């Protein structure tokens, strides 16, 4: 069992994304509480998660000094931003 450090609802309220100490992001069905998808890629804890305004993308920031963008439907990593000097503790999307 790993601590959950971050959580965010999708814009439509149907899913919840969580980021935890083990470096995994999980997408959950908000109505049933069932795990729908696990995203792996961070090498350390995930500090922050955020859905894009349309709910199609998910951003994450980690203790491994990376920020990442994911396809929220498939779990595929789309973009990795490396080179930060320290943990990425907050991520967000622009409304447009």
């Amino acid at each position: 069992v790993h601590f959950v450090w971050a959580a965010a609802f999708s814009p439509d309220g149907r899913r919840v994304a969580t980021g935890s100490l083990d470096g995994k992001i999980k997408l959950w069905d908000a109505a049933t509480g069932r795990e729908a998808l696990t995203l792996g890629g961070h090498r350390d804890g995930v500090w922050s998660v955020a859905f894009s305004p349309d709910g199609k993308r998910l951003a994450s920031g980690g203790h491994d000094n990376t920020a990442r963008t994911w396809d929220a439907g498939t779990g595929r990593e789309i973009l990795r931003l490396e080179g930060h000097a320290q943990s990425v503790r907050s991520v967000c999307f622009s409304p447009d």
Side-chain angles (χ1 to χ4, degrees):
V1 177
H2 294 278
F3 293 107
V4 171
W5 284 352
F9 275 92
S10 63
D12 64 7
R14 293 182 180 183
R15 295 178 292 165
V16 178
T18 58
S20 59
L21 183 62
D22 64 356
K24 290 191 173 41
I25 299 160
K26 293 186 182 269
L27 293 173
W28 306 87
D29 183 300
T32 66
R34 291 192 178 144
E35 181 182 332
L37 197 58
T38 298
L39 291 63
H42 283 282
R43 295 178 310 276
D44 208 337
V46 177
W47 286 105
S48 182
V49 292
F51 279 95
S52 62
D54 64 6
K56 293 181 180 180
R57 303 278 187 259
L58 184 73
S60 61
H63 194 58
D64 62 357
N65 303 356
T66 67
R68 299 168 192 242
T69 304
W70 311 84
D71 181 303
T74 67
R76 181 179 62 86
E77 186 178 302
I78 297 168
L79 177 67
R80 182 182 310 174
L81 301 172
E82 299 179 297
H84 299 87
Q86 294 186 15
S87 298
V88 177
R89 293 192 179 233
S90 183
V91 293
C92 66
F93 281 90
S94 170
D96 61 354

